[in-house]
């Protein structure tokens, strides 16, 4: 469908920065998710791809063609919005048909195209309804059908599932991924939900304060976070980050001692270990502390420990239970330990 | 529980009693002039109070048969509808621009439009008279349309603007990425979405226009361009003296359609009249 290149993209409003120096090459048919907290610049970047915002500097290209001066309505992109943005005065059928009318698609093709898109979004029974008479999930599917009806070169989705409940979100996630794979349309998806990012993306772009922090596949981002921000943003619960000192392959902090690390580095560092890479152990323990909280979820139990004045998360077995302030020892999987620069937060080694 | 229910019922009764009394207080003058309009003239000017009034359609026959009331009514309707249409044609794009585009001086332009409403009409009355005379528009319905439109344009623009500000920007962004031009967005998305606002603004403009007197008197010098409001004044002079029952009946006829429309759309109207109170 289309390859998207963003080179040196910046967006400023007076002295306020929206996006700083974004460079990314999105391959044809790729599903890329922009992930980050509110205000990180991910939606602004998407709006610049759509043509709804002009970059202050830098180029947006699609299939090599410079798009900076091309109006949003002349770019072959379709966008799904967080608030659905269905036209309230039109039925679902008219909503889905709207882009066909605007783009001058011959009238005799409209009905077939609308019904096909509605069928893909499982909306065939609701075509005569106005948006106000639809549930949240149906509205989102109507917005999706409107985006897919003319099979654009690029799909842009701006937090499309954030207004749905957890169960519906999971179902819609699967549906979006299935439709994207079926239509093979390059897709840029914006979210602050790491689960959405991990499950949908071919590649994830993590942003903070207008800057790209890391670009990689979900596995790369999860296993090899580029810095403490990424490490702390991905994972539920996020990676434990412990500040301490490193010397002769041994990391020490209050209540923590990890020896045998394969590194020549020394000095102040931050050690990162994911809760799922820790196990409760009486022998070979790396961390000792007191039980601060136990949260059973059915399939797993989250254990929060307190060591010194720091909290530490461990994923324990489903049957694990313990009283508060019970002393506990935890062992880390040495192959899963990450070290970060104490000052910059960047990954070491 | 029973006492709670009873006290709630009593509180409802008290509320309705107060509201009913207030409604009667407000509507009493209207009912009074309707009663004046439906009584013989002699009964109205008699100094003694009359407790059992006589029903009479004298005034009704007089205004339709002796006076060109149908013509005045037609003039009023044409001038008002024409002025509202002119207002909508000008105000909708203006409100769209004021609510959606970012440009230097936008807020100043918006305030300037509103400030035209703050001016005392008498200040511009003489220049407008000469202007219309030079264009040969005096004593025409066209002149009334233009002057009513000019008077109400600011209010109509601001009411429609306040409704447009409530339309989510996402709707326009969606339409734009769907391939719609600005005009198509305005016509197909914005206008249908703010239809209640357009109706509200139109009704408010109609109310102002039907009550307009100064400029109508200035521009209309013969029954060719007389409207209901000026016709009312014609019952107050001449050899027949003040014809109170005719005045009351014409006033009631001018009041009734506006009253019914206001009752029908009162929910939207209150929103239109409090425009800008929260947003914009």
């Amino acid at each position: 469908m289309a390859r998207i290149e963003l080179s040196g993209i910046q967006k400023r409003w007076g002295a306020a920065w929206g996006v700083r120096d974004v460079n990314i090459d999105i391959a044809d048919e790729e599903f890329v998710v922009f992930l980050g907290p509110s205000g990180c610049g991910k939606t602004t970047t998407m709006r610049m791809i759509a043509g709804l915002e002009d970059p202050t500097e830098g180029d947006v290209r699609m299939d090599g063609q410079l798009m900076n001066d091309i109006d949003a309505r002349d770019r072959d992109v379709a966008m799904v919005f967080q608030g659905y943005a269905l036209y309230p005065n039109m039925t679902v059928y008219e909503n889905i048909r709207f882009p066909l009318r605007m783009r001058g698609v011959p009238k005799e093709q409209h009905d077939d195209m609308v019904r096909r898109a509605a069928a893909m979004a499982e909306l065939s029974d609701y075509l005569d309804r106005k948006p106000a008479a639809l549930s949240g999930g149906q509205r989102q599917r109507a917005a999706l059908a409107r985006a897919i009806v003319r099979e654009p070169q690029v799909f842009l989705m701006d937090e499309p599932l954030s207004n749905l409940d957890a169960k519906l979100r999971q179902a819609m996630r699967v549906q979006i991924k299935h439709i994207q794979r079926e239509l093979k349309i390059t897709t840029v998806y914006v979210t602050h939900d790491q689960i959405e990012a991990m499950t949908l993306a071919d590649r994830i772009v993590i942003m903070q304060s207008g800057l790209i922090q890391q670009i990689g596949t979900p596995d790369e981002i999860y296993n090899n976070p580029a810095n403490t921000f990424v490490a702390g943003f991905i994972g539920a619960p996020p990676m434990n980050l412990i500040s301490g000192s490193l010397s002769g392959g041994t990391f020490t902090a209050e209540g923590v001692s990890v020896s045998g690390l394969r590194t020549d580095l020394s000095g102040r560092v931050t050690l990162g270990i994911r809760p799922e890479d820790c196990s409760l152990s009486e022998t070979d323990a790396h961390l000792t502390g007191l039980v601060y909280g136990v949260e059973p979820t059915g399939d797993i139990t989250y254990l929060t420990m307190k060591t010194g004045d720091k909290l530490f998360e461990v994923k324990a077995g489903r049957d694990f239970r313990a009283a508060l302030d019970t002393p506990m020892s935890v062992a880390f999987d040495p192959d899963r330990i990450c070290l970060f620069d104490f000052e910059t937060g960047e990954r070491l080694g | 529980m029973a006492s709670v229910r009873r006290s709630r019922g009593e509180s409802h009764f008290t509320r309705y009693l107060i509201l009913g009394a207030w409604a009667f207080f407000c509507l009493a003058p209207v009912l009074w002039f309707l009663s004046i309009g439906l009584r013989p003239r002699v009964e109205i000017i008699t100094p003694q109070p009359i407790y059992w009034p006589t029903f009479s359609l004298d005034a009704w026959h007089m205004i339709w048969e002796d006076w060109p009331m149908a013509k005045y009514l037609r003039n009023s309707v044409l001038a008002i509808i024409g002025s509202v249409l002119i207002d909508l044609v000008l105000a909708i794009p203006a409100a769209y621009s004021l609510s959606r585009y970012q440009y230097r001086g936008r807020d100043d332009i918006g305030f300037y439009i509103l400030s035209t409403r703050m001016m005392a009409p008498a200040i511009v009355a003489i220049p407008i008279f000469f202007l219309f005379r030079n264009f040969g528009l005096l004593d025409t319905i066209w002149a009334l349309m233009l002057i009513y439109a000019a008077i109400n344009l600011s209010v109509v623009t601001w009411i429609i603007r306040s409704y447009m500000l409530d339309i989510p920007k996402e709707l326009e962004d969606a339409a734009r990425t769907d391939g719609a031009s600005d005009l198509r967005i305005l016509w197909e998305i914005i206008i249908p979405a703010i239809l209640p606002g357009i109706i509200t603004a139109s009704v408010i403009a109609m109310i102002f226009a039907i009550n307009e007197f100064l400029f109508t008197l200035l521009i209309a010098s013969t029954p060719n361009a007389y409207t209901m409001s000026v016709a009312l004044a014609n019952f107050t002079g001449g050899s027949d003296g003040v014809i109170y029952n005719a005045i009351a009946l014409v006033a009631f006829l001018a009041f009734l359609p506006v009253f019914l429309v206001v009752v029908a759309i009162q929910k939207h109207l209150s929103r239109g009249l409090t425009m800008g109170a929260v947003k914009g």
Side-chain angles (χ1 to χ4, degrees):
Chain A
M1 282 278 152
R3 176 180 165 208
I4 305 168
E5 294 160 81
L6 305 181
S7 44
I9 292 288
Q10 300 196 359
K11 181 69 186 177
R12 282 191 306 268
W13 294 277
W17 281 91
V19 171
R20 303 168 193 237
D21 198 27
V22 165
N23 295 283
I24 181 171
D25 194 344
I26 300 169
D28 187 18
E29 297 181 24
E30 194 176 15
F31 197 130
V32 167
V33 175
F34 283 75
L35 175 67
S38 296
C40 71
K42 54 191 190 299
T43 296
T44 306
T45 306
M46 170 177 277
R47 289 175 63 83
M48 287 190 279
I49 298 173
L52 297 170
E53 298 276 357
D54 295 325
T56 312
E57 279 177 43
D59 292 338
V60 178
R61 290 175 192 275
M62 285 185 195
D63 281 339
Q65 189 193 350
L66 186 64
M67 305 301 284
N68 290 29
D69 296 327
I70 295 179
D71 196 69
R73 68 191 175 111
D74 297 321
R75 299 186 188 191
D76 194 8
V77 303
M79 195 157 168
V80 180
F81 293 84
Q82 183 176 5
Y84 316 125
L86 293 172
Y87 311 126
N89 54 308
M90 300 180 196
T91 61
V92 171
Y93 185 95
E94 283 302 322
N95 262 282
I96 301 173
R97 185 171 165 242
F98 187 78
L100 304 178
R101 287 201 292 121
M102 294 303 114
R103 303 262 173 187
V105 175
K107 268 186 182 171
E108 55 276 13
Q109 297 176 20
H110 288 190
D111 193 59
D112 277 352
M113 293 173 82
V114 169
R115 288 183 192 283
R116 197 167 62 234
M120 285 183 90
E122 297 172 21
L123 266 178
S124 301
D125 295 336
Y126 304 97
L127 289 174
D128 295 332
R129 291 200 192 173
K130 291 270 180 76
L134 299 177
S135 68
Q138 288 162 349
R139 285 180 203 182
Q140 195 54 67
R141 288 209 293 274
L144 195 60
R146 187 177 64 189
I148 64 183
V149 68
R150 60 186 172 82
E151 298 192 13
Q153 286 199 313
V154 177
F155 276 152
L156 302 173
M157 301 193 187
D158 185 8
E159 309 209 29
L161 308 182
S162 60
N163 290 345
L164 304 180
D165 61 56
K167 195 175 170 191
L168 200 53
R169 205 179 310 162
Q170 199 268 340
M172 286 295 298
R173 228 161 46 205
V174 174
Q175 199 169 16
I176 286 173
K177 192 163 186 175
H178 179 82
I179 288 172
Q180 196 268 342
R181 292 285 186 263
E182 198 173 319
L183 297 176
K184 297 183 169 59
I185 291 175
T186 313
T187 301
V188 178
Y189 188 107
V190 160
T191 183
H192 60 263
D193 182 336
Q194 50 151 324
I195 302 293
E196 272 174 35
M198 295 295 281
T199 52
L200 288 170
D202 293 324
R203 277 193 302 161
I204 297 174
V205 180
I206 297 198
M207 295 185 73
Q208 185 204 19
S209 305
L211 286 165
I212 291 180
Q213 299 295 315
Q214 188 171 4
I215 303 175
T217 65
D219 285 343
E220 284 167 356
I221 297 237
Y222 180 81
N223 293 321
N224 295 304
N227 54 41
T228 48
F229 174 79
V230 176
F233 199 79
I234 290 285
M239 183 179 273
N240 294 295
L241 297 169
I242 309 161
S243 298
S245 57
L246 185 65
S247 176
T250 299
F251 174 88
T252 50
E254 189 179 4
V256 182
S257 176
V258 185
S259 54
L261 294 171
R262 289 188 289 272
T263 177
D264 301 330
L265 297 166
S266 62
R268 294 278 287 164
V269 296
T270 301
L271 180 144
I273 184 81
R274 294 201 177 277
E276 49 273 36
D277 297 325
C278 302
S279 55
L280 298 172
S281 169
E282 291 302 321
T283 56
D284 304 326
H286 296 123
L287 177 143
T288 53
L290 303 175
V291 173
Y292 184 79
V294 177
E295 300 167 274
T297 63
D299 63 335
I300 203 163
T301 301
Y302 295 112
L303 164 65
T304 306
M305 293 173 60
K306 191 164 191 181
T307 175
D309 59 349
K310 296 279 191 304
L311 296 178
F312 189 89
E313 296 274 352
V314 178
K315 279 188 183 173
R318 71 164 76 170
D319 298 325
F320 174 83
R321 298 291 183 272
L324 293 185
D325 294 329
T326 308
M328 285 281 166
S329 300
V330 174
F332 304 159
D333 180 345
D335 295 332
R336 306 288 296 170
I337 289 172
C338 302
L339 294 174
F340 301 95
D341 187 283
F342 179 75
E343 298 293 338
T344 65
E346 292 301 312
R347 180 77 181 268
L348 298 170
Chain B
M1 280 303 284
S3 67
V4 171
R5 255 202 307 273
R6 190 165 54 245
S7 69
R8 269 194 195 154
E10 281 165 5
S11 127
H12 269 111
F13 176 76
T14 313
R15 192 182 305 164
Y16 282 116
L17 193 70
I18 293 168
L19 288 174
W22 178 248
F24 180 77
F25 179 75
C26 293
L27 286 173
V30 178
L31 296 173
W32 191 35
F33 70 68
L34 177 64
S35 84
I36 292 172
L38 297 175
R39 284 153 70 186
R41 192 178 175 198
V42 68
E43 202 173 278
I44 296 158
I45 52 177
T46 186
Q48 288 82 26
I50 294 171
Y51 298 105
W52 298 106
T54 315
F55 176 76
S56 162
L57 288 176
D58 286 354
W60 177 266
H61 292 303
M62 183 188 171
I63 63 170
W64 295 109
E65 289 161 17
D66 301 346
W67 292 77
M69 191 50 62
K71 194 172 190 178
Y72 298 158
L73 190 63
R74 190 198 64 135
N75 288 348
S76 288
V77 169
L78 288 179
I80 290 167
I81 290 177
S83 73
V84 170
L85 290 177
I86 293 170
D87 276 339
L88 293 180
V89 166
L90 297 176
I92 290 172
Y96 186 54
S97 161
L98 289 171
S99 65
R100 282 298 187 254
Y101 294 113
Q102 297 286 341
Y103 49 88
R104 191 186 295 268
R106 184 187 68 162
D107 293 341
D108 298 329
I109 292 170
F111 181 75
Y112 168 74
I113 291 173
L114 188 65
S115 70
T116 58
R117 188 76 201 174
M118 301 170 188
M119 195 162 43
I123 295 171
V124 288
I126 303 302
I128 282 177
F129 178 81
F130 284 111
L131 193 70
F132 281 11
R133 193 184 66 177
N134 291 344
F135 283 111
L137 287 172
L138 284 182
D139 204 30
T140 64
I141 295 172
W142 302 110
L144 297 179
M145 278 183 202
L146 289 174
I147 197 72
Y148 294 166
I151 291 168
N152 293 324
L153 185 60
S154 57
V155 175
V156 174
T157 304
W158 271 72
I159 291 173
I160 293 176
R161 173 186 167 274
S162 87
Y163 275 81
M164 281 182 178
L165 286 173
D166 284 352
I167 305 282
K169 183 82 168 53
E170 272 193 351
L171 271 188
E172 285 175 60
D173 289 342
R176 194 156 281 124
T177 52
D178 281 344
S181 64
D182 281 2
L183 271 180
R184 291 296 284 267
I185 292 170
L186 180 62
W187 185 249
E188 298 216 25
I189 310 295
I190 304 292
I191 289 179
I194 59 155
L195 215 50
I198 291 175
I199 293 169
T200 303
S202 303
V203 170
I204 290 173
M206 279 181 197
I207 294 169
F208 286 148
I210 208 166
N211 288 327
E212 209 292 318
F213 181 74
L214 175 69
F215 288 106
T216 312
L217 194 65
L218 198 71
I219 288 162
S221 50
T222 70
N224 281 338
Y226 278 175
T227 60
M228 300 278 275
S229 60
V230 173
L232 274 172
N234 287 339
F235 290 109
T236 60
S239 55
D240 291 336
V242 182
I243 313 168
Y244 288 112
N245 55 350
I247 292 174
L249 199 58
V250 174
F252 184 77
L253 289 178
F255 161 82
L256 189 63
V258 177
F259 177 72
L260 294 177
V261 171
V262 167
V263 168
I265 65 152
Q266 57 178 320
K267 211 181 276 179
H268 297 302
L269 205 57
S270 60
R271 156 74 209 277
L273 290 170
T274 56
M275 62 182 177
V278 177
K279 194 175 180 184

